[in-house]
Amino acid sequence: MWWCGSPTRVTHAETVVWFHGGGYLVGTPESMSNAADVYNAQGYRFASVGFRLMPWHRFPAQVYDAFVGVREMLCWLTNRGETGGIILGGSSAGGMSAALVAYGRDLQDLYHVDGSQVKAYVSCAAVLDAADMLVDCAPPGPAGAAFYRTGLDLPGCDPTDRDSVRTMLLPYSPIDVIRREVVEGTLPHVPYFGVHGTADEMSPIETERAFASELACALGLAAPRFTRSPTHAGSTW
């Protein structure tokens, strides 16, 4: 974990906890220093949480690290008397980890994370369907099967069968997690905000739109408003 620091004047009780992007293949917590500057300028404390990378550490080790990092961060904040909770966020694959921590009730229970401390979730082009990144972007044929064998640790998964891989990824796919929890009546009531580029191929904006719409419906909120950024052509908020 890498703590980025506190603002000159803290004006928000919540601490922002962020996960970097990079497809679980590259990236470091330190790469989020610019994000820390932005949030610090708004009066938020900010922490960037690191995780092990593929293929040296097979997925879902990255998800495990996210939950452990958040759990330890909450303990650290509690010991300091900071009780405002956390805002979870992340970029690309990091946004997928953040969404799982925010909304994955079963995973919260498994890794002993107090989900009530999560006050909001922020997606920066998050991968909200695990298959978008780990299936659809994998190379075809034997190269793809080799990637699955070396990069994934999903018991019972047939690395030569993409449908098998897709099925075994469902517990780690945020959009599928919220769908399951809607059926079970256990979906956490965590507010959401997302920003996404319209040309993102690894994490299509259509998935983010579906995630936002289904989440709003499940939580009984107003339909999400999708607006185009006036300053960044080609991006949608």
Side-chain angles (χ1 to χ4, degrees):
M1 182 186 301
W2 184 60
W3 177 255
C4 296
S6 297
T8 302
R9 179 170 174 265
V10 176
T11 58
H12 298 278
E14 302 88 354
T15 298
V16 175
V17 178
W18 201 266
F19 298 92
H20 67 81
Y24 291 144
L25 296 168
V26 297
T28 64
E30 293 84 354
S31 66
M32 294 293 98
S33 59
N34 287 342
D37 292 341
V38 171
Y39 280 101
N40 288 166
Q42 299 300 317
Y44 286 98
R45 303 176 192 87
F46 182 96
S48 179
V49 178
F51 47 84
R52 290 169 291 172
L53 300 176
M54 297 168 61
W56 302 276
H57 302 280
R58 299 162 70 193
F59 181 88
Q62 297 72 30
V63 174
Y64 169 83
D65 289 352
F67 276 88
V68 171
V70 168
R71 187 180 68 206
E72 295 305 311
M73 172 57 67
L74 287 170
C75 286
W76 187 84
L77 290 169
T78 298
N79 291 337
R80 287 172 54 90
E82 306 290 353
T83 58
I86 59 176
I87 296 172
L88 286 171
S91 313
S92 191
M96 177 172 135
S97 293
L100 290 171
V101 179
Y103 298 106
R105 184 79 72 180
D106 290 345
L107 291 170
Q108 290 173 358
D109 292 342
L110 178 64
Y111 296 120
H112 307 292
V113 169
D114 182 1
S116 69
Q117 295 300 306
V118 180
K119 306 304 180 184
Y121 165 63
V122 179
S123 160
C124 182
V127 175
L128 296 170
D129 184 338
D132 285 342
M133 176 177 69
L134 295 173
V135 177
D136 296 341
C137 288
F147 167 76
Y148 295 139
R149 278 193 294 268
T150 60
L152 304 181
D153 183 14
L154 301 172
C157 177
D158 179 357
T160 65
D161 183 349
R162 291 191 175 225
D163 287 338
S164 172
V165 176
R166 192 180 300 271
T167 298
M168 299 306 294
L169 284 171
L170 291 178
Y172 306 102
S173 180
I175 195 166
D176 293 295
V177 166
I178 67 169
R179 287 168 178 165
R180 184 183 70 248
E181 296 201 358
V182 166
V183 173
E184 297 175 353
T186 58
L187 181 66
H189 199 290
V190 175
Y192 150 88
F193 175 81
V195 57
H196 210 112
T198 57
D200 192 333
E201 295 183 358
M202 178 176 289
S203 176
I205 192 171
E206 291 77 15
T207 303
E208 181 111 34
R209 287 180 182 272
F211 180 89
S213 298
E214 294 185 32
L215 187 64
C217 181
L219 297 179
L221 304 175
R225 183 179 63 184
F226 301 102
T227 58
R228 188 173 298 276
S229 167
T231 56
H232 293 84
S235 64
T236 300
W237 296 67

